[in-house]
Amino acid sequence: MEFERDKTFFTGRFKSMGFALKGAIKLITTEHSVMVQTSIGILMIIAGFYFQISREEWMIQTLAIGLVLGIEGLNTAVEKVADFIHPEFHERIGFIKDIAAGAVFFAAMTAIAIGCMIYIPKI
């Protein structure tokens, strides 16, 4: 199946945005880890309103939430591709998936540190 390439700037961008939104919805509705991360992100947004965090704190918190969800999405994509290429357990595929999960770990630890720096002084 071949896709016809849209050569116009605006309609091409709208189509790309549609695919991206479709992917984000698929991530949030089918992947448990993304559901958890999204829920935590929503709780942090509620906390931001409750504690009336500053504009700069909002920017950093938003960046941290986006970082975790973005890396989690890439991790999911790596896992899906790896499972598609080699459905049975394979040591090298496991190594690749562990590295992708490690990237999520770094992003999540960074987000936790940011959350602590913003909210601990306010509690």
Side-chain angles (χ1 to χ4, degrees):
M1 178 179 193
E2 191 172 319
F3 294 101
E4 185 178 320
R5 187 174 193 125
D6 192 332
K7 294 186 177 28
T8 60
F9 180 78
F10 289 109
T11 57
R13 297 301 65 79
F14 282 125
K15 284 183 180 178
S16 294
M17 287 173 49
F19 294 139
L21 180 60
K22 183 179 175 183
I25 291 168
K26 281 183 181 178
L27 263 173
I28 292 170
T29 58
T30 62
E31 297 300 318
H32 293 277
S33 58
V34 178
M35 290 177 197
V36 170
Q37 299 291 4
T38 301
S39 299
I40 293 169
I42 291 168
L43 289 174
M44 298 313 296
I45 291 168
I46 292 168
F49 284 115
Y50 179 80
F51 287 105
Q52 299 178 341
I53 63 177
S54 71
R55 182 171 189 249
E56 292 79 14
E57 290 168 330
W58 272 114
M59 289 189 288
I60 294 167
Q61 176 173 284
T62 302
L63 183 63
I65 292 168
L67 174 73
V68 171
L69 291 174
I71 300 293
E72 189 71 65
L74 290 173
N75 176 53
T76 299
V78 167
E79 288 182 355
K80 298 292 183 192
V81 169
D83 290 343
F84 179 76
I85 291 171
H86 206 293
E88 303 85 34
F89 175 78
H90 190 279
E91 188 175 325
R92 288 185 184 171
I93 294 291
F95 182 76
I96 292 166
K97 290 167 81 172
D98 288 347
I99 289 172
V104 176
F105 176 79
F106 285 133
M109 292 300 107
T110 301
I112 289 170
I114 288 168
C116 289
M117 285 184 257
I118 291 173
Y119 292 106
I120 288 177
K122 298 179 185 316
I123 296 177

